[in-house]
Every structure is written in C-alpha cells, then in structure tokens.
Amino acid sequence: MTVEPFHIHVSNEILDDLKYRLQHIRWPNQLEDSGWERGTDLNYLKSLVSYWRDHYDWRAQETILNRFSQFHSQIDGIDVHFVHERGKGPDPLPLILTHGWPDSYLRYQKIIPLLTDPASYGGNPEDSFDVIVPSLPGFGFSGHPNHPGVNNFRVSQLWAKLMTKELGYKKFAAAGGDIGSGVTRYLAANYPELLYGIHLTDVGIIRSLMTSQEESEFSAEELQYKKNASEWIANEGGYMSIQSTKPQTLAYGLSDSPIGLAAWIIEKFRAWSDCDGDLSQKYSKDELLTHIMIYWVTGTIGSSTRMYYENSHSLPPLGRIDVPTGMAIFPADILLPPKSWTSRNLNVTHWTTMSSGGHFTAMEEPELLANDLRAFYRSIRK
C-alpha cells in the first residue's frame, strides 16, 4: 500500500506573492456599453478581484478543505490526491466521483456528506456510500505528469488500480461529468467486471453525430443536437480549440497572472451554469475564488489544459458500454445528449431530467444529484 494521509498547507511565500500580484495589476480596457459577450466582463472581474485582495481568506478555506480525509498515492509513477470519506450506514457502496475542467475535486464538496451520511439529511442510511474523489492528474493537489499520453483512458486505468489495489475494493460504482464522464465511460468499457454501474451527467461532445454524413438515419432529436453542437462550438468552443492544440502557449499567461487565470475560469462558470448570467445566484465569491486558488497555489492550470490535447491526440475509440448506466440531465448544461443516441451506445437503465441546474451539477444542485445517485444505485444494490 502506498496510500499516505495528506493535509493542505500552502506556504506563506506563495500567498505573499499572490497578494503582491493582486496589488499590481495592469488592466485592459473594455468597449463602452459591452459586457460578457466578448469575454469576461471588466467590471465584474474588478469587483471579484477587489474581494479576493481585501476580504478572501485562504487559511479559512484551507481549514474547511482539511475537514475531509485526504490522501496521496503513487500509482504507476503518478502522484494522485484524493478524498476518501467512509459511509455511515449498514453496507456503504464504494463510489468514485470524477470532476472535469475548469473545476476541481471541489465540484463534489457539497455532495460528499449527502452521500456518506444520508440519514443526517433526511435519507435512508441504507443508501450510504464510501465516497472517493480524486484530483485528476495535472489538476490541483495531484502530481503533474511529465510524459504525454495521460488522457481519459489512462486515467481510467489509474482509477481502477486506486479503487482495487490501493483501497482494496473488489467492486465499486463510478460517476462523473465533463472529463469525469469520459473517464467513467472508459472505466465501464475496460473494466466492466469491477463496476456495479455508472452514473453520468453528460456524454461529452458526440463527435460521431458531428461528423456523420448519414443524416437520413438520425432521429429528429439527433438532428437538433448536431445543429446545437455546431452552433455551440462556433460561439463557445474557442477555449477548447486552444487547449486541444496549443495548451503550452496558453499556460504561460495563465500561470503568471492570477487575473488572467480568474478571467479564463470565471467566464466558463457563468456561461455553463444555470444562473441567468448572474453568478451570485449559484455561487458565493468564496466558492469561486477557492476553485481559482486550487489552480493558482498548485500551479496546475497549464497541466490541466493539457488533458484536452491528450484527449484530442491519443485517445482510443470507445465502443458500446453494457454496464448499467444512469443519466441525470441538467437543463442548462452545455449540450444535452439525445436520448436515442445515448441509449444505443450505453446500457441506460435510469434517465432523469432535472428541473434546474447546469454543467457544474454537484456545485449547483447537490441535493438533486445526490437524490438521483441514491435512486439509481438503490436498484442496483437490490
């Protein structure tokens, strides 16, 4: 066993350097009467940075984060950070949750107690989980891979070893969204014997529908998806093109400027959340800044964006998945998957369309997602 306890403590040197940078900003200008349509709004960002500089308390947030049981483990030469919280119930089901970009393992911060201790939140203790939430390689407190090839498929191999060899589970459940959806699907495709089932909030961008010329075979829902996806990529996919082709060039600016980093991340939180353009509807400033701080204090924005390059250049094809699959669809997510395509390519046994919520599901609507995870795996437990 190589599992070692982990405690977050960022050096004063890093925090003092950040304070200096926040006090010496060279702001760009912005066109009059413009807002978010050309990118992160200057007035909003100035307000957020003012709070960051004068009121945000990293040490207080550090204390909150350290309430979780955290560990590090070396797996195939890659240092993996993860939360491991034991369930409070008669037979907790082990569940690994995988986050995406530009969030972090904090995506699941609110949902962990709802899953480990459902009885304390009005639920049934028989629905409890052992919850494992790793930081993806190159993200947050995990190590920075120094070699290419760490893509969704490779991470699924690491997760299988983490759950079985490092933590000793013979079989487990898995769930995720964004990059986490891809990792979870590769887990199901390559290790079906290890999985009770998988639960997803999206299936990524369906490239087969985007590139196929055989539209006569598409359902009306699939045709609409192709149209929506083309429009979304044209209007919102610029970040993806850069991160999939030239992530190293981007890394210099975002790694050197906390303002550049904040602008890059905040725009996505606003655009992809069910907040009607008002971030305060879903998130506190502390919550947003702690996500940004995870990238800043670990210096991982560059290594995190490389995942897009690896997934675009070295990812093997993914076939049909026969592991029982639950889908939770949040109405303001980036691209809503057509049920017809999803059911052809995954063994969908559970499909829920949520009343609200966007891409950052567990952050925006933790109770809705927790209830759906409980419901899906309840049938599997039986």
Side-chain angles (χ1 to χ4, degrees):
M1 295 285 287
T2 61
V3 175
E4 298 288 343
F6 176 71
H7 185 85
I8 300 169
H9 181 75
V10 175
S11 70
N12 287 331
E13 181 182 6
I14 290 174
L15 298 180
D16 289 343
D17 173 72
L18 173 62
K19 183 177 180 180
Y20 176 84
R21 291 170 188 262
L22 293 178
Q23 290 172 338
H24 296 82
I25 302 166
R26 187 169 72 171
W27 292 102
N29 65 352
Q30 179 169 298
L31 293 175
E32 293 182 6
D33 301 322
S34 65
W36 290 86
E37 65 274 8
R38 289 176 171 82
T40 301
D41 177 65
L42 179 63
N43 293 324
Y44 175 84
L45 191 58
K46 283 186 173 182
S47 173
L48 182 67
V49 170
S50 176
Y51 181 85
W52 194 0
R53 183 185 60 237
D54 299 330
H55 302 289
Y56 178 79
D57 185 347
W58 166 255
R59 293 300 184 203
Q61 296 300 315
E62 209 173 48
T63 298
I64 293 171
L65 299 180
N66 281 324
R67 292 174 185 168
F68 291 113
S69 300
Q70 298 173 86
F71 304 88
H72 268 209
S73 182
Q74 281 279 334
I75 307 173
D76 293 348
I78 296 176
D79 189 24
V80 176
H81 159 259
F82 62 97
V83 169
H84 187 192
E85 288 288 337
R86 300 284 184 175
K88 298 178 180 179
D91 190 18
L93 189 72
L95 171 66
I96 185 167
L97 300 170
T98 309
H99 67 85
W101 185 94
D103 54 283
S104 64
Y105 80 102
L106 296 187
R107 171 188 279 236
Y108 297 111
Q109 181 180 14
K110 297 175 185 175
I111 205 174
I112 292 172
L114 302 178
L115 296 175
T116 56
D117 188 14
S120 292
Y121 299 89
N124 188 332
E126 294 182 358
D127 288 332
S128 70
F129 296 85
D130 283 353
V131 177
I132 298 88
V133 187
S135 295
L136 289 163
F139 286 69
F141 298 104
S142 281
H144 305 199
N146 292 319
H147 303 284
V150 180
N151 53 29
N152 288 350
F153 171 76
R154 183 74 183 96
V155 175
S156 74
Q157 295 178 317
L158 299 177
W159 279 194
K161 291 181 179 181
L162 171 64
M163 294 298 286
T164 58
K165 295 185 178 181
E166 300 299 313
L167 299 181
Y169 294 112
K170 294 182 179 179
K171 203 166 181 176
F172 58 93
D178 195 85
I179 291 173
S181 168
V183 170
T184 301
R185 283 178 283 137
Y186 274 98
L187 263 174
N190 295 297
Y191 304 96
E193 73 283 0
L194 297 181
L195 289 163
Y196 292 110
I198 62 172
H199 186 277
L200 308 172
T201 55
D202 61 73
V203 292
I205 296 176
I206 306 172
R207 299 293 182 181
S208 60
L209 291 181
M210 290 292 297
T211 58
S212 175
Q213 302 299 314
E214 303 297 326
E215 292 192 359
S216 61
E217 300 177 5
F218 288 0
S219 68
E221 187 184 26
E222 290 166 349
L223 287 171
Q224 185 62 49
Y225 174 88
K226 183 171 184 177
K227 179 177 181 294
N228 293 345
S230 296
E231 292 176 353
W232 185 86
I233 289 174
N235 295 316
E236 297 288 342
Y239 81 98
M240 186 167 52
S241 296
I242 295 172
Q243 294 180 182
S244 298
T245 57
K246 297 294 185 290
Q248 187 65 28
T249 303
L250 179 67
Y252 297 111
L254 301 189
S255 297
D256 190 59
S257 168
I259 308 308
L261 174 64
W264 194 251
I265 289 176
I266 285 296
E267 182 206 318
K268 304 311 173 194
F269 270 91
R270 179 184 178 275
W272 300 351
S273 298
D274 191 7
C275 67
D276 294 323
D278 179 4
L279 283 159
S280 66
Q281 287 191 17
K282 291 292 182 179
Y283 313 107
S284 69
K285 286 186 171 69
D286 281 346
E287 189 174 4
L288 293 171
L289 288 170
T290 299
H291 274 277
I292 293 166
M293 286 289 288
I294 292 291
Y295 284 95
W296 182 259
V297 300
T298 60
T300 52
I301 188 60
S303 54
S304 73
T305 59
R306 282 200 292 269
M307 181 72 82
Y308 281 75
Y309 186 97
E310 300 301 333
N311 283 338
S312 296
H313 290 79
S314 61
L315 197 60
L318 185 62
R320 175 177 164 79
I321 291 169
D322 293 319
V323 170
T325 301
M327 297 295 305
I329 306 303
F330 290 77
D333 204 345
I334 293 171
L335 288 168
L336 305 185
K339 192 172 184 179
S340 52
W341 181 93
T342 308
S343 297
R344 285 199 308 273
N345 289 275
L346 296 98
N347 178 20
V348 177
T349 61
H350 175 96
W351 185 285
T352 304
T353 300
M354 298 297 181
S355 57
S356 61
H359 189 64
F360 303 102
T361 53
M363 295 172 63
E364 297 182 59
E365 299 290 351
E367 292 184 359
L368 290 180
L369 183 57
N371 288 338
D372 203 64
L373 282 161
R374 293 174 192 161
F376 171 63
Y377 284 111
R378 189 178 301 132
S379 62
I380 289 174
R381 293 176 201 252
K382 291 180 181 179

